[in-house]
Amino acid sequence: MTDFTAIKNSIDAVRADIPEGVRLVAATKTVSPEVINFAFRSGITEIGENRVEELCAKYPYLELPEGAKIHFIGTLQRRKVRSIIDKVDMIQSVDHLSLAREIDIRSREIHKVTDILIEVNIGEEESKSGVHPDDALELYRSLYEMRGIRVRGVMAIPPKGRLTEYYDKLYKIYSDILKNAKSNDKIDIISIGMSADYREAIALGSNMVRVGTAIFGERNKQII
């Protein structure tokens, strides 16, 4: 049985840690629509989903308040872009040109401009997705002519326990992209920090954190 009181207390505790100007994205992987809707009623305004199939299964049951935003924060295959492009406000996991092209095409088909973040494999880990740090600026420049997307900044999941070291590297990439920004873009987001380290990330300068376990507890396999 879901303990809604515990979830509300967790939401309040996390929100108390989030200063003005920092966006809280509640990571809702394996969280049921019922619980997500409760989170919306408890003040959450942005959620992040990791899996296309799960997002599509939940979407009809979500009671989105005015101004609510849905982020896609997981690895995204090109062939699945069409399934979510009308459901999400931001895709945080753009790490190669072919994916960006697909998002651009599908966005323009529905007369939409989709906000994206460039995901950087900041620790150069084989187990993680993301563009290589040395290639991030080149990837950004390759998106100049795309009118169906708008780059908002960068996202990364650094190696555990090394947030400070890798935040500095990510900030350098963010700064380089900002210097090369085209007029259609609004480069203003550094998305780094999750349940275990979001406080540290905010202290370093992150202005978007993705928090799941600290709000909803340990993951389960039940979706809807």
Side-chain angles (χ1 to χ4, degrees):
M1 185 173 181
T2 303
D3 187 343
F4 288 102
T5 299
I7 293 172
K8 177 64 165 64
N9 290 339
S10 296
I11 290 172
D12 290 345
V14 171
R15 284 170 61 86
D17 288 333
I18 307 294
E20 185 177 354
V22 176
R23 293 167 63 178
L24 169 62
V25 177
T28 49
K29 177 182 175 181
T30 75
V31 178
S32 71
E34 178 186 26
V35 173
I36 296 173
N37 290 334
F38 176 80
F40 282 137
R41 293 193 297 270
S42 300
I44 292 296
T45 59
E46 303 188 65
I47 65 169
E49 284 286 336
N50 290 71
R51 298 170 179 167
V52 170
E53 292 79 7
E54 185 175 341
L55 170 59
C56 291
K58 293 176 183 178
Y59 189 80
Y61 304 97
L62 297 181
E63 300 167 1
L64 299 170
E66 185 177 356
K69 296 184 181 299
I70 298 178
H71 300 244
F72 192 82
I73 59 178
T75 301
L76 181 59
Q77 298 174 318
R78 286 177 55 202
R79 62 185 177 87
K80 295 184 178 182
V81 170
R82 185 195 295 267
S83 299
I84 66 165
I85 199 64
D86 61 333
K87 300 174 179 65
V88 299
D89 298 278
M90 178 178 287
I91 297 174
Q92 294 200 18
S93 47
V94 178
D95 60 356
H96 56 274
L97 181 57
S98 60
L99 175 59
R101 282 176 175 154
E102 187 69 13
I103 296 169
D104 174 55
I105 291 169
R106 300 307 171 195
S107 296
R108 286 187 286 107
E109 283 180 347
I110 60 173
H111 309 288
K112 175 181 180 180
V113 177
T114 301
D115 284 345
I116 69 167
L117 299 181
I118 292 176
E119 181 179 7
V120 183
N121 186 346
I122 200 65
E124 302 176 39
E125 299 173 273
E126 292 185 5
S127 62
K128 291 180 181 176
S129 57
V131 64
H132 189 281
D134 292 343
D135 298 328
L137 179 57
E138 181 181 352
L139 174 59
Y140 172 69
R141 286 171 170 163
S142 71
L143 310 183
Y144 275 179
E145 301 305 315
M146 297 184 187
R147 294 293 177 259
I149 62 176
R150 177 171 56 190
V151 181
R152 296 294 303 274
V154 294
M155 183 271 265
I157 304 174
K160 290 183 179 179
R162 302 173 68 181
L163 184 64
T164 300
E165 172 189 352
Y166 285 104
Y167 177 84
D168 291 342
K169 292 182 178 181
L170 185 64
Y171 184 79
K172 175 62 166 59
I173 294 168
Y174 168 83
S175 297
D176 288 343
I177 290 175
L178 184 61
K179 291 174 185 175
N180 287 267
K182 64 186 179 74
S183 59
N184 188 50
D185 292 333
K186 182 182 178 183
I187 311 297
D188 61 352
I189 295 174
I190 302 179
S191 180
I192 192 170
M194 299 187 292
S195 287
D197 57 10
Y198 71 88
R199 297 178 185 86
E200 182 183 358
I202 291 170
L204 289 168
S206 175
N207 59 7
M208 179 179 285
V209 293
R210 306 176 303 279
V211 181
T213 302
I215 291 175
F216 302 110
E218 295 300 323
R219 304 295 186 189
N220 59 67
K221 295 182 180 180
Q222 185 67 36
I223 299 173
I224 58 174

